[in-house]
Amino acid sequence: MTNGRTSDIVVIGGGLIGTAVAFGLRERGLDTVLLDEGDVALRAARGNFGLVWLQSKGAGLREYTSWTRKAVDAWPGFASKLRDVTGIDVRYRRPGGYHLCLSDAERDKRAAMVARIRPGQPHDARTVMLERDELKARLPFIGPSVVGGSYNPLDGDCNSLALFRALHEAYSVRSGDYRPGQAVRRLLRGKGVYGAETAEGTWWAPKVVIAAGLGLVDLGRQIGVGPVVHPQQGQIIVTERVKPFLDVPISQIRQTPDGTLLVGDNSGGETYETPTSLSVMHHLANRAVRMIPELSDIRIVRSWVALRVLSKDGAPVYQEAPDWPGVFFFTAHSSVTLAPMHVTELSRWVADGAIDEEARAFSTARFS
Ligand SMILES: Cc1cc2nc3c(=O)[nH]c(=O)nc-3n(C[C@H](O)[C@H](O)[C@H](O)COP(=O)(O)OP(=O)(O)OC[C@H]3O[C@@H](n4cnc5c(N)ncnc54)[C@H](O)[C@@H]3O)c2cc1C
């Protein structure tokens, strides 16, 4: 054991949440060590769809709607700040976003969800259901199978790999201490400090942030917290580049500014396995072509499966461990969308040593 040191805060997990929080902590001038296990599997941070999405957030937890609204409002300033600090353009755009339905049953289900969220949504950012004719007027390329859909004017997307790179770069520009290849296997208690033990050493700090994605299952157990998250497979297919025609994101299909189309419209199994499936590809491609028939001539160039990090109700969990004061655990399925809040608010809570009263709704107490 040759490594390890004492700092103000140890952040475990260099994915989307951990890196955002670590950057925020460095912005506050705190001596921060960011430990990451490494790319042993396709992490959610590298395999997601890149939506910055409000329209479906909060069906089970109203506070999730307003939290996401704050994130969406913060996004333009956040994207320019990342560009100023790192020179990286994360290609954020907010043209509004759609979700398309291919049957009456899908449309009714969507309408019921939109109705559940509606009371929590501010007037200027309400998700609305649109009939086929209205959709066709706005998106002339949709096929005859589309029966309706939903729309929110504040939805958008970004290049999520650029976002991930920008967060790491911003942390580095702010002289953050990043240690890749450090899987934390044990959490230790010392006098007024906690230790994060890896094969190479132990990193000590009075405060620890666990932002380890699915790694929270094991680390949580060590601090007396039951399973908070579970995996869910998500497969995405990527096409060859074609002339840009889709300048608004649809939750199931988006086109990047360089012409690539991404299709991702499935909820796979609750397993840690990540093989791609031909039948899922077929299902995704088939639905995409029914939504936009022109896609039938476009070639698929690759596909991947990444694991969603889901809580029981799909909403974020932000909490200080009851029996380990100073140890915080953070997880959220929509951490592209919520990145600005993770940089500013989560880092402030950790710096202050307490989670804001208004964010207490995100504790695990809601599950009991
Ligand atoms: C298919 C798919 C599509 C998605 N689409 C969107 C989208 O459109 N919009 C959106 O907002 N979100 C989307 N997401 C969700 C988003 O990617 C996740 O919310 C986000 O990546 C979660 O961040 P995280 O830091 O909690 O986990 P991760 O990004 O998975 O990072 C966790 C990190 O912890 C590290 N780690 C784990 N255990 C340990 C340990 N013991 N010691 C040290 N390090 C450890 C891992 O190496 C990893 O780097 C999508 C996810 C998937 C899978």
Side-chain angles (χ1 to χ4, degrees):
M1 302 241 271
T2 54
N3 242 320
R5 70 176 181 90
T6 301
S7 61
D8 295 331
I9 292 152
V10 170
V11 178
I12 304 172
L16 272 172
I17 298 183
T19 314
V21 176
F23 168 45
L25 291 168
R26 279 305 303 147
E27 290 265 281
R28 293 171 192 281
L30 291 157
D31 181 11
T32 306
V33 174
L34 176 61
L35 303 173
D36 190 70
E37 157 181 57
D39 275 339
V40 287
L42 193 53
R43 296 294 178 190
R46 292 188 192 280
N48 65 63
F49 202 58
L51 297 175
V52 177
W53 216 239
L54 174 64
Q55 66 170 273
S56 47
K57 304 294 166 51
L61 185 69
R62 191 174 285 194
E63 290 81 355
Y64 188 21
T65 310
S66 43
W67 181 246
T68 308
R69 169 67 201 267
K70 285 183 188 163
V72 165
D73 284 346
W75 249 97
F78 172 64
S80 26
K81 172 157 193 178
L82 286 178
R83 196 170 43 238
D84 291 347
V85 175
T86 67
I88 298 170
D89 180 359
V90 301
R91 301 284 190 104
Y92 173 62
R93 57 180 186 163
R94 189 165 70 190
Y98 294 88
H99 174 92
L100 303 183
C101 303
L102 290 175
S103 67
D104 290 344
E106 279 183 27
R107 186 188 47 202
D108 293 349
K109 193 172 163 202
R110 190 73 181 173
M113 190 212 65
V114 166
R116 276 209 309 283
I117 296 175
R118 206 175 166 77
Q121 285 186 329
H123 287 282
D124 63 331
R126 285 203 160 150
T127 303
V128 290
M129 289 301 295
L130 299 174
E131 293 300 323
R132 176 184 161 74
D133 289 351
E134 174 70 28
L135 273 174
K136 183 82 182 159
R138 296 182 185 201
L139 308 172
F141 44 76
I142 59 171
S145 305
V146 177
V147 299
S150 58
Y151 170 77
N152 189 293
L154 293 188
D155 284 338
D157 61 6
C158 72
N159 178 331
S160 59
L161 284 178
L163 168 67
F164 190 40
R165 195 157 51 85
L167 288 170
H168 268 277
E169 181 64 21
Y171 179 61
S172 162
V173 167
R174 295 284 185 257
S175 308
D177 183 354
Y178 174 51
R179 307 289 178 126
Q182 300 291 331
V184 175
R185 53 191 188 189
R186 219 150 58 100
L187 291 167
L188 311 168
R189 288 183 105 128
K191 266 203 169 154
V193 282
Y194 298 108
E197 184 192 84
T198 74
E200 289 182 22
T202 303
W203 275 264
W204 297 95
K207 289 178 191 164
V208 172
V209 174
I210 303 175
L214 292 166
L216 173 59
V217 175
D218 177 48
L219 295 170
R221 193 177 33 76
Q222 298 186 34
I223 56 169
V225 173
V228 173
V229 288
H230 61 270
Q232 186 197 59
Q233 292 174 324
Q235 187 160 340
I236 289 177
I237 54 183
V238 181
T239 72
E240 63 182 328
R241 291 178 186 180
V242 292
K243 200 166 160 220
F245 71 96
L246 187 57
D247 55 5
V248 288
I250 297 171
S251 66
Q252 302 103 327
I253 305 168
R254 54 178 285 255
Q255 189 172 29
T256 66
D258 63 15
T260 301
L261 285 143
L262 300 176
V263 179
D265 178 19
N266 72 312
S267 299
E270 275 189 33
T271 154
Y272 285 89
E273 305 295 314
T274 55
T276 51
S277 146
L278 264 183
S279 67
V280 173
M281 272 172 84
H282 182 259
H283 169 79
L284 288 174
N286 191 302
R287 283 181 61 86
V289 168
R290 287 174 65 206
M291 288 175 190
I292 306 178
E294 280 168 51
L295 298 184
S296 63
D297 294 332
I298 299 173
R299 275 174 303 189
I300 293 171
V301 294
R302 68 194 176 103
S303 179
W304 67 73
V305 170
L307 298 178
R308 296 189 179 92
V309 185
L310 283 182
S311 67
K312 281 178 200 157
D313 59 3
V317 173
Y318 307 130
Q319 197 171 329
E320 186 172 7
D323 299 330
W324 291 56
V327 175
F328 296 83
F329 53 96
F330 298 145
T331 178
H333 167 54
S334 51
S335 301
V336 175
T337 308
L338 297 175
M341 307 305 280
H342 292 168
V343 172
T344 56
E345 302 306 289
L346 269 55
S347 67
R348 183 169 57 76
W349 301 340
V350 176
D352 292 351
I355 293 179
D356 276 1
E357 196 58 46
E358 61 159 339
R360 297 281 161 89
F362 295 113
S363 90
T364 53
R366 71 182 189 267
F367 302 131
S368 49

